[in-house]
Amino acid sequence: MTQTAHGVEFTQQLSANPKSAEERTAILANPGFGNYFTDHTAIVDYSVGADGKGSWHDARIEAYGPISLDPSAAVLHYGQEIFEGLKAYRHADGSIWTFRPEANAARMNQSARRLALPEIPEDYFLGAIRHLVSVDKEWVPSGDGEALYLRPFMIATEAFLGVRAAREVSFRVIASPAGNYFGGELKPVSIWISREYARAGRGGTGAAKCGGNYAASLIAQQEAEAHGCKQVLFLDHFNDNAVEELGGMNVFFVMKDGSLATPALTGTILEGVTRSSVMQVARDMGRPVAERKITLDEWRDGVASGDIAEVFACGTAAVITPIGVLKDNTEFIGSEDATAGETTMAIRATLLGIQTGTVEDTHGWLTRLA
């Protein structure tokens, strides 16, 4: 069976053993985050021919399952891989929509250029998402704050051990029903300051969404969890301890005059799709937004003086999460009794409302999938 979307044909070989309606219902009752996966996956392959030219081909939908790789596949030895994250939301009328997928496609290609991977045409990126969600639409939850998390990724599959860009690559999309990222009731989280570790360096891969950045953050994340914190904050230790980002989220500050500030993109910070959306929503509310250098000293002094009224983090998985306390063995900034700020929650409500169809989408951010 072959279907076409965005001008790209996808063949379909559907799973012979999909989850039953009862099994799926049980999973959707409490999906958590990243614990369960739908019945299918979207795949597009890339290879370089004898003429030295590369092309994407064999776009298809297959049953979700293990990936067969040669032990010498480049991704296993040199980490040549990238990924994205976006969500599909079920609206009140049962239709399914996603949020700014073109921005994710553009960022994936930005990451591809940095990791010497081939850029994937937007039609293939969007077509893969549309086909996968169309086939697995019953997996999209409808509970408050729930969505189907979509994970496009690209891996170097060529079997060789030479240090060069791979000539065989696989682009895939998998999907996972998702609840609240941090679990339970939304409340301010505690953040651990990483004094010893850095997420990325100048000229490195900080602006790319690649697994190596996250692997490098895990030891700091373990340190955070050992001290009762949900996330870790990375600083630029060679730039006055300038605030960079959390392990997987961007940071925003709400000033006492109602304006917002967020660390400027320096090449070491990921350009979040949610980050840019938050800035636009805030400006729509009449709140100025500054992208600039923000140091740990400013965070500490601003909270103490009241110049910083609220702090929150944002990302695709958690959308917006208020920050209550920033701490390490010597610092304690904020309050464990803090409640979510009014501005934080207003921006969150608007952003989620647009995504779920309860607030008008005046920017054309939504794309219908099914």
PDB file of all heavy atoms in Angstrom, residues 15 30 36 40 42 44 70-71 78 117 136 150 203 206 235 255 274 282 294 326 330 337 342:
ATOM      1  N   SER A  15       1.895  -3.216  11.032  1.00  0.00           N
ATOM      2  CA  SER A  15       2.223  -4.233  12.026  1.00  0.00           C
ATOM      3  C   SER A  15       1.206  -5.365  12.016  1.00  0.00           C
ATOM      4  O   SER A  15      -0.011  -5.130  11.956  1.00  0.00           O
ATOM      5  CB  SER A  15       2.268  -3.604  13.422  1.00  0.00           C
ATOM      6  OG  SER A  15       2.422  -4.588  14.416  1.00  0.00           O
ATOM      7  N   ASN A  30      -2.252   6.216  31.889  1.00  0.00           N
ATOM      8  CA  ASN A  30      -1.125   6.751  32.665  1.00  0.00           C
ATOM      9  C   ASN A  30       0.153   6.592  31.842  1.00  0.00           C
ATOM     10  O   ASN A  30       1.016   5.762  32.152  1.00  0.00           O
ATOM     11  CB  ASN A  30      -0.994   6.032  34.001  1.00  0.00           C
ATOM     12  CG  ASN A  30       0.086   6.615  34.876  1.00  0.00           C
ATOM     13  OD1 ASN A  30       0.435   7.795  34.750  1.00  0.00           O
ATOM     14  ND2 ASN A  30       0.643   5.807  35.771  1.00  0.00           N
ATOM     15  N   TYR A  36       6.232   4.346  26.630  1.00  0.00           N
ATOM     16  CA  TYR A  36       5.530   3.465  25.690  1.00  0.00           C
ATOM     17  C   TYR A  36       5.620   4.050  24.288  1.00  0.00           C
ATOM     18  O   TYR A  36       5.766   5.267  24.118  1.00  0.00           O
ATOM     19  CB  TYR A  36       4.057   3.317  26.092  1.00  0.00           C
ATOM     20  CG  TYR A  36       3.850   2.842  27.508  1.00  0.00           C
ATOM     21  CD1 TYR A  36       3.598   3.753  28.539  1.00  0.00           C
ATOM     22  CD2 TYR A  36       3.931   1.492  27.822  1.00  0.00           C
ATOM     23  CE1 TYR A  36       3.422   3.317  29.844  1.00  0.00           C
ATOM     24  CE2 TYR A  36       3.757   1.050  29.134  1.00  0.00           C
ATOM     25  CZ  TYR A  36       3.498   1.969  30.138  1.00  0.00           C
ATOM     26  OH  TYR A  36       3.331   1.532  31.429  1.00  0.00           O
ATOM     27  N   HIS A  40       3.941   1.784  15.087  1.00  0.00           N
ATOM     28  CA  HIS A  40       4.656   1.941  13.818  1.00  0.00           C
ATOM     29  C   HIS A  40       5.773   2.978  13.891  1.00  0.00           C
ATOM     30  O   HIS A  40       5.867   3.738  14.860  1.00  0.00           O
ATOM     31  CB  HIS A  40       3.669   2.308  12.708  1.00  0.00           C
ATOM     32  CG  HIS A  40       2.639   1.261  12.468  1.00  0.00           C
ATOM     33  ND1 HIS A  40       1.412   1.267  13.116  1.00  0.00           N
ATOM     34  CD2 HIS A  40       2.655   0.149  11.684  1.00  0.00           C
ATOM     35  CE1 HIS A  40       0.715   0.199  12.740  1.00  0.00           C
ATOM     36  NE2 HIS A  40       1.441  -0.480  11.865  1.00  0.00           N
ATOM     37  N   ALA A  42       8.158   5.625  11.030  1.00  0.00           N
ATOM     38  CA  ALA A  42       8.374   6.128   9.669  1.00  0.00           C
ATOM     39  C   ALA A  42       9.869   6.105   9.387  1.00  0.00           C
ATOM     40  O   ALA A  42      10.678   6.446  10.259  1.00  0.00           O
ATOM     41  CB  ALA A  42       7.827   7.544   9.534  1.00  0.00           C
ATOM     42  N   VAL A  44      13.004   6.821   6.236  1.00  0.00           N
ATOM     43  CA  VAL A  44      13.479   7.222   4.913  1.00  0.00           C
ATOM     44  C   VAL A  44      14.993   7.006   4.913  1.00  0.00           C
ATOM     45  O   VAL A  44      15.681   7.423   5.846  1.00  0.00           O
ATOM     46  CB  VAL A  44      13.176   8.697   4.580  1.00  0.00           C
ATOM     47  CG1 VAL A  44      13.486   8.976   3.103  1.00  0.00           C
ATOM     48  CG2 VAL A  44      11.735   9.067   4.896  1.00  0.00           C
ATOM     49  N   ASP A  70      24.972  -2.926  11.588  1.00  0.00           N
ATOM     50  CA  ASP A  70      26.268  -3.582  11.588  1.00  0.00           C
ATOM     51  C   ASP A  70      27.065  -3.083  12.806  1.00  0.00           C
ATOM     52  O   ASP A  70      26.975  -1.903  13.172  1.00  0.00           O
ATOM     53  CB  ASP A  70      27.016  -3.230  10.297  1.00  0.00           C
ATOM     54  CG  ASP A  70      28.254  -4.071  10.105  1.00  0.00           C
ATOM     55  OD1 ASP A  70      29.267  -3.798  10.785  1.00  0.00           O
ATOM     56  OD2 ASP A  70      28.230  -5.003   9.276  1.00  0.00           O
ATOM     57  N   PRO A  71      27.843  -3.944  13.451  1.00  0.00           N
ATOM     58  CA  PRO A  71      28.629  -3.497  14.608  1.00  0.00           C
ATOM     59  C   PRO A  71      29.579  -2.341  14.301  1.00  0.00           C
ATOM     60  O   PRO A  71      30.001  -1.625  15.224  1.00  0.00           O
ATOM     61  CB  PRO A  71      29.405  -4.756  15.016  1.00  0.00           C
ATOM     62  CG  PRO A  71      28.549  -5.878  14.548  1.00  0.00           C
ATOM     63  CD  PRO A  71      27.940  -5.403  13.259  1.00  0.00           C
ATOM     64  N   TYR A  78      31.257   6.980  16.217  1.00  0.00           N
ATOM     65  CA  TYR A  78      31.584   8.399  16.128  1.00  0.00           C
ATOM     66  C   TYR A  78      30.411   9.310  16.487  1.00  0.00           C
ATOM     67  O   TYR A  78      30.530  10.531  16.348  1.00  0.00           O
ATOM     68  CB  TYR A  78      32.114   8.716  14.719  1.00  0.00           C
ATOM     69  CG  TYR A  78      33.253   7.813  14.319  1.00  0.00           C
ATOM     70  CD1 TYR A  78      33.145   6.958  13.226  1.00  0.00           C
ATOM     71  CD2 TYR A  78      34.425   7.776  15.075  1.00  0.00           C
ATOM     72  CE1 TYR A  78      34.185   6.106  12.873  1.00  0.00           C
ATOM     73  CE2 TYR A  78      35.467   6.923  14.742  1.00  0.00           C
ATOM     74  CZ  TYR A  78      35.347   6.089  13.645  1.00  0.00           C
ATOM     75  OH  TYR A  78      36.370   5.253  13.317  1.00  0.00           O
ATOM     76  N   LEU A 117      25.901  15.496   8.414  1.00  0.00           N
ATOM     77  CA  LEU A 117      24.865  14.585   7.946  1.00  0.00           C
ATOM     78  C   LEU A 117      24.102  15.251   6.806  1.00  0.00           C
ATOM     79  O   LEU A 117      24.093  16.488   6.698  1.00  0.00           O
ATOM     80  CB  LEU A 117      23.907  14.229   9.092  1.00  0.00           C
ATOM     81  CG  LEU A 117      24.447  13.263  10.142  1.00  0.00           C
ATOM     82  CD1 LEU A 117      23.620  13.331  11.421  1.00  0.00           C
ATOM     83  CD2 LEU A 117      24.484  11.835   9.604  1.00  0.00           C
ATOM     84  N   ASP A 136      -1.183   5.851  13.357  1.00  0.00           N
ATOM     85  CA  ASP A 136      -1.258   5.595  14.800  1.00  0.00           C
ATOM     86  C   ASP A 136      -2.079   6.648  15.542  1.00  0.00           C
ATOM     87  O   ASP A 136      -1.830   6.950  16.710  1.00  0.00           O
ATOM     88  CB  ASP A 136       0.159   5.536  15.387  1.00  0.00           C
ATOM     89  CG  ASP A 136       0.860   4.235  15.068  1.00  0.00           C
ATOM     90  OD1 ASP A 136       0.175   3.244  14.745  1.00  0.00           O
ATOM     91  OD2 ASP A 136       2.103   4.186  15.146  1.00  0.00           O
ATOM     92  N   LEU A 150       6.532  13.189  19.420  1.00  0.00           N
ATOM     93  CA  LEU A 150       7.121  12.692  18.179  1.00  0.00           C
ATOM     94  C   LEU A 150       8.629  12.887  18.222  1.00  0.00           C
ATOM     95  O   LEU A 150       9.113  13.982  18.536  1.00  0.00           O
ATOM     96  CB  LEU A 150       6.543  13.438  16.982  1.00  0.00           C
ATOM     97  CG  LEU A 150       5.006  13.369  16.847  1.00  0.00           C
ATOM     98  CD1 LEU A 150       4.525  14.349  15.787  1.00  0.00           C
ATOM     99  CD2 LEU A 150       4.564  11.959  16.506  1.00  0.00           C
ATOM    100  N   GLY A 203      32.414  26.891  19.614  1.00  0.00           N
ATOM    101  CA  GLY A 203      32.805  26.173  18.415  1.00  0.00           C
ATOM    102  C   GLY A 203      32.389  24.717  18.406  1.00  0.00           C
ATOM    103  O   GLY A 203      32.662  23.997  17.448  1.00  0.00           O
ATOM    104  N   GLY A 206      26.929  22.836  20.693  1.00  0.00           N
ATOM    105  CA  GLY A 206      25.873  23.301  21.584  1.00  0.00           C
ATOM    106  C   GLY A 206      24.604  23.743  20.888  1.00  0.00           C
ATOM    107  O   GLY A 206      23.509  23.608  21.427  1.00  0.00           O
ATOM    108  N   LEU A 235      26.447  26.774  33.263  1.00  0.00           N
ATOM    109  CA  LEU A 235      26.952  28.135  33.183  1.00  0.00           C
ATOM    110  C   LEU A 235      28.135  28.186  32.215  1.00  0.00           C
ATOM    111  O   LEU A 235      28.775  27.174  31.945  1.00  0.00           O
ATOM    112  CB  LEU A 235      27.419  28.613  34.562  1.00  0.00           C
ATOM    113  CG  LEU A 235      26.410  28.540  35.709  1.00  0.00           C
ATOM    114  CD1 LEU A 235      27.106  28.828  37.034  1.00  0.00           C
ATOM    115  CD2 LEU A 235      25.266  29.528  35.481  1.00  0.00           C
ATOM    116  N   MET A 255      10.970  40.055  34.774  1.00  0.00           N
ATOM    117  CA  MET A 255      11.449  41.154  35.595  1.00  0.00           C
ATOM    118  C   MET A 255      10.279  41.851  36.296  1.00  0.00           C
ATOM    119  O   MET A 255       9.116  41.652  35.919  1.00  0.00           O
ATOM    120  CB  MET A 255      12.232  42.142  34.736  1.00  0.00           C
ATOM    121  CG  MET A 255      13.209  41.487  33.758  1.00  0.00           C
ATOM    122  SD  MET A 255      14.344  40.270  34.501  1.00  0.00           S
ATOM    123  CE  MET A 255      15.492  41.379  35.318  1.00  0.00           C
ATOM    124  N   THR A 274      10.167  26.120  21.376  1.00  0.00           N
ATOM    125  CA  THR A 274       9.315  26.665  22.435  1.00  0.00           C
ATOM    126  C   THR A 274       9.846  28.015  22.897  1.00  0.00           C
ATOM    127  O   THR A 274       9.075  28.940  23.183  1.00  0.00           O
ATOM    128  CB  THR A 274       9.230  25.690  23.623  1.00  0.00           C
ATOM    129  OG1 THR A 274       8.820  24.403  23.147  1.00  0.00           O
ATOM    130  CG2 THR A 274       8.235  26.170  24.665  1.00  0.00           C
ATOM    131  N   ALA A 282       4.829  36.387  24.551  1.00  0.00           N
ATOM    132  CA  ALA A 282       5.046  37.482  25.499  1.00  0.00           C
ATOM    133  C   ALA A 282       4.897  38.838  24.804  1.00  0.00           C
ATOM    134  O   ALA A 282       4.263  39.757  25.345  1.00  0.00           O
ATOM    135  CB  ALA A 282       6.423  37.356  26.133  1.00  0.00           C
ATOM    136  N   ILE A 294      23.011  37.008  30.835  1.00  0.00           N
ATOM    137  CA  ILE A 294      22.475  37.019  32.195  1.00  0.00           C
ATOM    138  C   ILE A 294      23.410  36.162  33.052  1.00  0.00           C
ATOM    139  O   ILE A 294      23.604  34.977  32.765  1.00  0.00           O
ATOM    140  CB  ILE A 294      21.045  36.459  32.252  1.00  0.00           C
ATOM    141  CG1 ILE A 294      20.118  37.265  31.341  1.00  0.00           C
ATOM    142  CG2 ILE A 294      20.519  36.443  33.686  1.00  0.00           C
ATOM    143  CD1 ILE A 294      18.789  36.608  31.074  1.00  0.00           C
ATOM    144  N   LEU A 326      17.133  27.628  42.948  1.00  0.00           N
ATOM    145  CA  LEU A 326      18.389  27.319  42.272  1.00  0.00           C
ATOM    146  C   LEU A 326      19.423  27.131  43.372  1.00  0.00           C
ATOM    147  O   LEU A 326      19.590  28.011  44.231  1.00  0.00           O
ATOM    148  CB  LEU A 326      18.789  28.477  41.355  1.00  0.00           C
ATOM    149  CG  LEU A 326      20.106  28.332  40.591  1.00  0.00           C
ATOM    150  CD1 LEU A 326      19.998  27.218  39.558  1.00  0.00           C
ATOM    151  CD2 LEU A 326      20.483  29.654  39.924  1.00  0.00           C
ATOM    152  N   THR A 330      26.779  25.646  48.033  1.00  0.00           N
ATOM    153  CA  THR A 330      27.023  26.952  48.651  1.00  0.00           C
ATOM    154  C   THR A 330      25.940  27.983  48.350  1.00  0.00           C
ATOM    155  O   THR A 330      25.859  29.007  49.024  1.00  0.00           O
ATOM    156  CB  THR A 330      28.372  27.517  48.169  1.00  0.00           C
ATOM    157  OG1 THR A 330      28.346  27.669  46.743  1.00  0.00           O
ATOM    158  CG2 THR A 330      29.517  26.582  48.556  1.00  0.00           C
ATOM    159  N   ASP A 337       9.135  27.227  48.893  1.00  0.00           N
ATOM    160  CA  ASP A 337       7.690  27.435  49.042  1.00  0.00           C
ATOM    161  C   ASP A 337       7.110  28.297  47.924  1.00  0.00           C
ATOM    162  O   ASP A 337       5.941  28.682  47.979  1.00  0.00           O
ATOM    163  CB  ASP A 337       7.395  28.096  50.395  1.00  0.00           C
ATOM    164  CG  ASP A 337       7.829  27.244  51.571  1.00  0.00           C
ATOM    165  OD1 ASP A 337       7.703  26.012  51.475  1.00  0.00           O
ATOM    166  OD2 ASP A 337       8.315  27.808  52.578  1.00  0.00           O
ATOM    167  N   GLU A 342       2.409  34.466  38.098  1.00  0.00           N
ATOM    168  CA  GLU A 342       1.236  34.820  37.289  1.00  0.00           C
ATOM    169  C   GLU A 342       1.589  34.945  35.810  1.00  0.00           C
ATOM    170  O   GLU A 342       0.872  34.438  34.943  1.00  0.00           O
ATOM    171  CB  GLU A 342       0.661  36.139  37.810  1.00  0.00           C
ATOM    172  CG  GLU A 342      -0.607  36.583  37.084  1.00  0.00           C
ATOM    173  CD  GLU A 342      -1.190  37.855  37.661  1.00  0.00           C
ATOM    174  OE1 GLU A 342      -0.968  38.120  38.868  1.00  0.00           O
ATOM    175  OE2 GLU A 342      -1.849  38.597  36.906  1.00  0.00           O
TER     176      GLU A 342
END
